[in-house]
Amino acid sequence: MAKKITILTSKGGSGKTTTAVNLSAALATQGKRCLLVDFDPQCSCSDWLGYTDAEEQSFILDALLGNADISDGIQQTYLDNLHLLPCSMHLFQAETHLSNEIANDTLLSMALEPVSEQYDYIVIDVTPTMGVLSYNAIYAAKNLLIPVETSYIAMRAIRSIMKVVELMQQRRDDSISIVGLLASRVDVRQTSCKQALELLDNHFSNILLDTFINDAVAVKDSVAYGQSVICYKPKSKSAKQFLDLATEIDKRLTKSVKGKKNAA
């Protein structure tokens, strides 16, 4: 059964899609069978990986409504171990189409269940807007990775995410948890960045990951080439950071799974 992880943030520009694409590629490079689910109607993951054929179809939305088999929409990427479930702008209509569905925050979980055995990891990139899509992604994965841009405004946004997670734990599933906070777009030359890192360490040391991601040109350039930075510049500092992130996430989730089994 695949370990699932949702990349969650309530603020754009925090490195959400960058984390999703590069974490997935890093896991695949390390031999893990990985499915990247583009669950953001802006289609950033799909665009990044060069898949634009989904623009005119409503596949994910149809799958959520039970009118399509999600396995039929999965695409092979440039990495053998990395598959993509692409998105289209039709997903913007999800709030309208899913509003009358019973338990509408569980639909993604049910849609992914038939393919879960085929993968070691399922990584979900979801819209930063809190609503039915975000709730579906949280419930489907249970494990949340929160990228945090090292700025004062982004720091304030963490509280709103924490509140959503707390409510989902209370009302839907108490096994929902934050795997880690990931400091992203880090530039230690800036005083404000250093202060933000200190605040993260002071207030969230128990969930702050050891790995952090620099704000690097190589990552931005990799988008134009339709590749992760790991494939675009495999010897770069950014590539190493994402590989380190994959290792750290894998260790945390493996430890979490073992802990739950022992508790049972």
Side-chain angles (χ1 to χ4, degrees):
M1 181 69 71
K3 300 182 184 76
K4 302 180 186 72
I5 184 165
T6 285
I7 315 301
L8 184 69
T9 179
S10 63
K11 180 184 178 299
S14 296
K16 175 181 64 67
T17 298
T18 298
T19 302
V21 170
N22 286 286
L23 173 60
S24 299
L27 289 166
T29 301
Q30 293 174 344
K32 306 292 194 302
R33 297 166 300 163
C34 188
L35 172 64
L36 173 59
V37 178
D38 190 351
F39 207 56
D40 185 343
Q42 295 182 78
C43 312
S44 298
C45 284
S46 302
D47 289 344
W48 188 326
L49 296 178
Y51 191 85
T52 57
D53 293 342
E55 288 184 7
E56 300 304 320
Q57 55 87 19
S58 55
F59 184 81
I60 289 188
L61 187 56
D62 290 339
L64 292 176
L65 293 170
N67 298 325
D69 186 340
I70 210 162
S71 62
D72 293 336
I74 294 173
Q75 305 294 319
Q76 176 66 57
T77 70
Y78 58 90
L79 286 172
D80 289 340
N81 285 331
L82 178 58
H83 290 173
L84 169 71
L85 181 61
C87 187
S88 77
M89 294 182 68
H90 287 273
L91 204 56
F92 275 120
Q93 304 168 13
E95 295 281 351
T96 300
H97 285 280
L98 303 181
S99 60
N100 293 323
E101 294 291 320
I102 297 173
N104 64 4
D105 57 355
T106 68
L107 299 177
L108 179 61
S109 178
M110 290 189 292
L112 289 173
E113 189 172 346
V115 300
S116 290
E117 295 289 349
Q118 301 172 28
Y119 298 98
D120 299 306
Y121 274 91
I122 296 177
V123 178
I124 304 169
D125 181 43
V126 69
T127 174
T129 304
M130 290 297 157
V132 68
L133 293 181
S134 295
Y135 303 151
N136 264 275
I138 292 171
Y139 184 82
K142 307 292 192 296
N143 304 300
L144 311 176
L145 173 61
I146 304 176
V148 183
E149 182 187 6
T150 46
S151 69
Y152 178 71
I153 294 176
M155 293 284 293
R156 295 185 64 181
I158 298 176
R159 297 294 181 187
S160 62
I161 295 179
M162 295 292 190
K163 185 61 178 177
V164 170
V165 173
E166 182 181 343
L167 290 173
M168 288 289 288
Q169 289 170 330
Q170 293 173 355
R171 299 177 181 179
R172 299 303 288 150
D173 193 327
D174 61 8
S175 69
I176 292 170
S177 65
I178 297 172
V179 176
L181 293 182
L182 173 67
S184 67
R185 305 189 67 180
V186 173
D187 185 349
V188 293
R189 296 171 299 180
Q190 299 180 8
T191 301
S192 60
C193 177
K194 291 180 181 179
Q195 292 173 339
L197 286 171
E198 289 177 4
L199 284 172
L200 280 173
D201 190 43
N202 289 338
H203 294 281
F204 304 104
S205 59
N206 58 323
I207 54 174
L208 180 63
L209 296 173
D210 294 330
T211 307
F212 62 86
I213 307 298
N214 286 108
D215 190 17
V217 174
V219 176
K220 298 172 184 176
D221 288 348
S222 67
V223 183
Y225 288 86
Q227 298 180 354
S228 67
V229 71
I230 294 157
C231 295
Y232 173 63
K233 285 205 172 175
K235 295 183 179 180
S236 66
K237 184 176 182 180
S238 297
K240 183 181 183 305
Q241 288 176 332
F242 278 110
L243 289 167
D244 288 345
L245 173 64
T247 300
E248 187 171 3
I249 291 295
D250 186 51
K251 286 181 179 178
R252 288 200 176 203
L253 287 184
T254 300
K255 182 179 180 181
S256 175
V257 169
K258 287 181 179 178
K260 290 176 182 177
K261 287 182 178 179
N262 291 336

